Amino acid sequence: MLLLLEQRENLRRSLRTALERGELYLEYQPLIRPPSSVIGFEALLRWRHPEVGIIPPNVFIPIAEADGLMEEIGRWVLEEACRQALTWPSSLTVAVNLSPAQFLSGSLTDTIAQIIDAVGIEADRLELEITETVLLEKTIDNIDTLNTLNVLGIRISLDDFGTYYSSLSYLKNFPFDTLKIDQYFIADLETDLKSQTIVRSIMNLAHGLGINVTAEGVETSAQARWLIKENCDCLQGYFLGRPLPAEAIGDFIKRSPPRVARAMQESNRAL
Ligand code: C2E
Ligand code: MG
Ligand code: MG
C-alpha cells in the first residue's frame, strides 16, 4: 500500500512537468465505416515517462483530474489533435475524448471555439467524446454546453454507452451524433446471446433516434461480421487497426483500405 502511494505520489509530481517536457503524445485509432472506408481517427493520449516507460491514460488521467491538471492537458490534446487532422484528407474527422473536469470547467465552449479558429479546422471535422459520468452533474448546464457545441457545428459522441447509468433521458434531451457501444458488450458478442440482444437493441434505439452507432473494441472478424450484418455504422478496434503514431497515419490511409476491404470481404463471404 505504501509502495503504491509512493508510486502515485512520484507520478503526480512528474505529471506536473510532463506537458512542458514534451512527454505527452497522441496516438490515433482508425474509425471504419463498413465495408472499408476510413472515416476518421480517435486521438488517444499517452505519457512517455523517462523512467517508467509508456503509461496508459487510465492510469494518469485520474491523477491529472484530481490535481486540476486536466484542463490544461485537455486543451493541449484538442489543439494537437486538430493540428494533426489538418494534415489528413479533408474528409476525415478527428475524435477527442473530454474529461469531466474539462466539461464542467465553464470555459469549454470558448476554449474549443478559440482552438478551432486558431488552428483553422472546420468545426464538423471535430468530434468530441464524452462519457455519461460527465453528464451526471448539473444537467441543465450540460445540455446548454452540448447545444452550444452543436450550434458551432461540432459533433458529439456518447462514449462507453451501455455501462454506467445509461439514462435514456440523455438521448431524449440531446441529439448526439454517435453512440459508442462499450467494448464490454462486443468482447463476447460471438458467444453471448445476451450481449447480442443488448447490442441489437442499442442499435435499434439509436437508429430510431437518428443517431449513428460505433462499436468499440472489435477484435475479431466474427465480431465485425455480426456487427455489419446488424447494420452497425462504424467499427473501431484492433481488428480494424490499433492506435497508431501520427507519422503512421499517411501510410495507413494509403495502404489500409485494401487491407480492411479484404478482411470485410472475408466477413461477407462467411455471412
Ligand atoms: P475510450 O475513449 O473508450 O478509448 C478506447 C480504448 O480502447 C483505448 O484505450 C483503445 O486503445 C482501446 N481499444 C481500442 N480497440 C481495442 C480493442 O480491439 N480491444 C481492446 N481491448 N481495447 C481496444 P486507451 O488508449 O488506453 O484509453 C483508455 C481511455 O482513456 C479512453 O477510453 C478514454 O476514456 C481515456 N482517454 C484516452 N485519451 C484521452 C484524452 O485525451 N482525454 C481524456 N479525457 N481521456 C482520454
Ligand atoms: Mg473514446
Ligand atoms: Mg470508449
Side-chain angles (χ1 to χ4, degrees), residues 19 80 118 245 248:
L19 191 55
E80 175 72 14

Side-chain angles (χ1 to χ4, degrees), residues 132-136 160-170:
E132 286 161 287
T133 35
V134 165
L135 297 177
L136 284 180
D160 303 342
F161 189 77
T163 54
Y164 304 109
Y165 297 92
S166 299
S167 164
L168 299 181
S169 64
Y170 305 139

Side-chain angles (χ1 to χ4, degrees), residues 28-38 40-41 186 214-225 227-228 232 234-244 252 255-257 259-265 267:
Y28 298 87
Q29 188 174 30
L31 299 159
I32 308 290
R33 185 194 299 131
S36 62
S37 317
V38 182
F41 291 85
I186 309 298
T214 297
E216 300 190 83
V218 181
E219 292 187 349
T220 68
S221 128
Q223 290 163 357
R225 203 156 66 222
L227 289 159
I228 294 168
C232 187
C234 178
L235 310 184
Q236 177 181 13
Y238 297 162
F239 176 67
L240 294 313
R242 287 188 177 254
L244 299 164
F252 182 88
R255 262 189 298 127
S256 84
R259 198 179 72 196
V260 176
R262 247 196 329 273
M264 293 301 179
Q265 271 160 16
S267 298

Side-chain angles (χ1 to χ4, degrees), residues 128-261:
L128 299 176
E129 298 196 0
I130 58 170
T131 56
E132 286 161 287
T133 35
V134 165
L135 297 177
L136 284 180
E137 288 172 64
K138 299 209 298 183
T139 306
I140 304 271
D141 288 357
N142 288 339
I143 301 284
D144 277 354
T145 304
L146 291 176
N147 278 324
T148 308
L149 293 170
N150 199 30
V151 168
L152 288 174
I154 292 160
R155 303 175 201 213
I156 315 281
S157 298
L158 194 50
D159 204 354
D160 303 342
F161 189 77
T163 54
Y164 304 109
Y165 297 92
S166 299
S167 164
L168 299 181
S169 64
Y170 305 139
L171 301 184
K172 184 171 144 87
N173 290 322
F174 185 80
F176 290 102
D177 295 280
T178 305
L179 278 193
K180 299 189 74 173
I181 304 182
D182 195 85
Q183 48 185 273
Y184 173 74
F185 300 104
I186 309 298
D188 60 4
L189 205 50
E190 291 154 57
T191 50
D192 193 297
L193 290 178
K194 288 186 184 168
S195 286
Q196 291 182 7
T197 303
I198 290 170
V199 172
R200 198 180 281 123
S201 307
I202 295 176
M203 289 204 281
N204 278 336
L205 174 66
H207 287 158
L209 295 168
I211 302 174
N212 286 316
V213 175
T214 297
E216 300 190 83
V218 181
E219 292 187 349
T220 68
S221 128
Q223 290 163 357
R225 203 156 66 222
W226 190 91
L227 289 159
I228 294 168
K229 190 181 69 178
E230 298 287 335
N231 289 326
C232 187
D233 306 287
C234 178
L235 310 184
Q236 177 181 13
Y238 297 162
F239 176 67
L240 294 313
R242 287 188 177 254
L244 299 164
E247 313 79 70
I249 290 185
D251 261 10
F252 182 88
I253 295 168
K254 262 188 253 141
R255 262 189 298 127
S256 84
R259 198 179 72 196
V260 176

